[in-house]
Each structure stands twice: as C-alpha cells, then as structure tokens.
C-alpha cells in the first residue's frame, strides 16, 4: 500500500461531501450549514492532508482522519443528551433522531437528535468516499456515496428537490476526480 502523495484528495473529499450533504436541505428545517456538520466534514479532510504531508500510509491515515471527525460528532452527542451516562445518552440521541424521522411530516423540524443523525451520516459517507478515493484508488466510485443524499431527497420528495442538489453533487464529484488524477508532484517537473 502506497503512501499519499497529494494533500488535495482528502480536502476535496471533505468539500465534495459537504456539498453532497446540502442535498438533504429539502427534507429538514435544520440548517445544514451548522458548526457540527462543517467541523465533522472539515476536520477529517485537514487531518488527512496533514497525514499526506507526513507521508503516512493511506489506511492508517483514513482511520486517524475518521477518528478526528468523530470528535465533533461525539461532542455534540454528549452535550446534547441530558442523560449522565455517555453511552446511554448517545443511544437516546440516536433513538430521538430516528423518532424525528418516523413521526414527523416533511420537512422534519430541527432537533438535536436529527442534527446528530445527519452528522453521523455525513461522517460515515465521508469515510466511504475517502476509502474509495484514497485507499482503494477508485475515485470514480466516489459518486455512489456522494450521490446518496441527493438520491434519498429525490426519492422522498421528488417534486421538491431542486436541480442545485444535483449540481452540488456533480461539482463535488468533479473536484474529487480532478484532485486524484494521479499526477505526482515530483513527476510533474520531469521532462
């Protein structure tokens, strides 16, 4: 397994996933540009870029980046739950998020549990996308996790999903493809 040779792919995975998560907007009154979502998707990209600069292998870098992305998710989970026991509190937050999905008419009103669910989903999709782009070296397959939020929105509310959601996913996908083109910086200067 090779080390990373570019800092751009993990940063572009973060940017692309952030754009893709915005496609959830028609499903909720929750502002998707929140500190939780931004930090959940920015921190792993920055950590991945730093690991690339240090020449770390791709799989350990992916795991460290994902663990770093879990920090804001866990922080919000632990501070949003009133329960004193952390594991039970996270479980209750998870249940309340799914309860909001099940029991509300669309668009789903803002709630801590639902915001936490979106953040967990965003981090999971970031992990899958970076795994495809960096570890498996299959950036074209990153379209699958990138398109998932748009696909869910389109299936649930086919008439209310604007074209901008598709354009955001396409922009993120294009950025990922361009950043992982395989041109090594050292090889680019050779004649």
């Amino acid at each position: 397994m090779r080390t990373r040779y570019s800092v751009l792919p993990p940063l572009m995975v973060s940017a692309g996933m952030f754009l893709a998560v915005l496609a959830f907007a028609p499903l909720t009154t929750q502002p998707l540009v929140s500190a939780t979502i931004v930090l959940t998707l920015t921190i792993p990209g920055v950590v991945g870029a730093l690991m690339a600069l240090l020449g770390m292998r791709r799989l350990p870098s992916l795991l460290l980046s994902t663990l770093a992305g879990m920090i804001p998710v866990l922080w919000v989970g632990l501070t949003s739950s009133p329960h004193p026991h952390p594991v039970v509190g996270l479980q209750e937050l998870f249940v309340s998020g799914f309860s909001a999905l099940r029991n509300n008419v669309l668009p789903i009103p803002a709630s801590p549990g639902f915001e936490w669910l979106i953040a967990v989903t965003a981090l999971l999709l970031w992990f899958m996308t970076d795994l495809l782009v960096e570890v498996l070296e299959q950036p074209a397959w990153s379209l699958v996790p990138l398109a998932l939020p748009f696909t869910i929105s389109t299936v649930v509310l086919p008439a209310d999903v604007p074209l901008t959601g598709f354009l955001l996913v396409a922009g993120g996908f294009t950025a990922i493809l361009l950043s992982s083109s395989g041109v090594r910086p050292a090889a680019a200067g050779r004649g």
Side-chain angles (χ1 to χ4, degrees), residues 25-46:
L27 302 180
T28 182
T29 60
Q30 186 86 35
L32 293 176
V33 183
S34 68
T36 304
I37 303 296
V38 170
L39 290 174
T40 298
L41 293 173
T42 303
I43 289 173
V46 171

Side-chain angles (χ1 to χ4, degrees), residues 73-129:
V73 171
L74 290 174
W75 177 260
V76 166
L78 295 173
T79 58
S80 297
S81 175
H83 201 280
H85 192 271
V87 174
V88 175
L90 289 176
Q91 180 183 5
E92 287 178 356
L93 201 59
F94 188 73
V95 169
S96 76
F98 271 108
S99 178
L101 275 172
R102 230 185 357 248
N103 300 329
N104 289 301
V105 178
L106 295 173
I108 298 169
S111 72
F114 190 63
E115 179 183 18
W116 190 75
L117 261 183
I118 292 173
V120 169
T121 302
L123 183 62
L124 180 62
L125 291 174
W126 183 93
F127 173 82
M128 291 177 7
T129 305

